[in-house]
Amino acid sequence: MSDDPALAFNEEDGTAVDPIAFRDAIMADPDKRAALQAVKRTCATNLRLGGRGYFDLVRAVKSLMADSNVAIVTEAASTVTALARGLRADFAQHARQLLGTMVDKLKEKNTGVTRALKEALAAVSRYSLPLAEVAEDAARGLAHKVP
């Protein structure tokens, strides 16, 4: 028996989380950082999320990772960490979608961004997608020179 409380999760408990509403809030709110923080708070209060309907939310977070604002990129990476913890194995399909963007952003010179991205990649590999499955893609992304 595991001491991880998220493993005792009943999928019905996660239905209060509405990924479409979060996506809409992220895209509509001029303060995107506050919207991302709301997603993280919800992931923290729900030990495990139901695995359906997160494609649009992940797509919105991915677009914010490409932003030039360092605070937004850092918050987006932290949101990926929270989603990986909440969705667990259900996040694998989303992790593949985000991997290229996260590896590209690792070239960022800001240490806060790279630290948040490393934490996100660690959470993805721990909870949802073993990095061995995507090692070739990651190596290809890291092979490009830093601008």
Side-chain angles (χ1 to χ4, degrees), residues 122-139:
V124 165
S125 70
R126 178 175 181 202
Y127 295 113
S128 45
L129 183 68
L131 286 183
E133 289 184 24
V134 291
E136 187 175 310
D137 295 333

Side-chain angles (χ1 to χ4, degrees), residues 59-115:
R59 193 174 305 126
V61 171
K62 180 181 177 182
S63 72
L64 293 177
M65 278 190 161
D67 199 293
S68 60
N69 185 331
V70 171
I72 298 292
V73 174
T74 303
E75 211 54 56
S78 297
T79 303
V80 169
T81 303
L83 287 169
R85 284 185 185 137
L87 290 170
R88 305 277 172 149
D90 293 330
F91 193 70
Q93 57 196 344
H94 306 298
R96 286 185 176 88
Q97 179 183 354
L98 290 167
L99 185 70
T101 304
M102 290 195 306
V103 169
D104 264 355
K105 278 294 185 174
L106 278 174
K107 299 170 189 169
E108 183 77 35
K109 293 181 181 180
N110 185 294
T111 57
V113 170
T114 55
R115 182 181 19 230

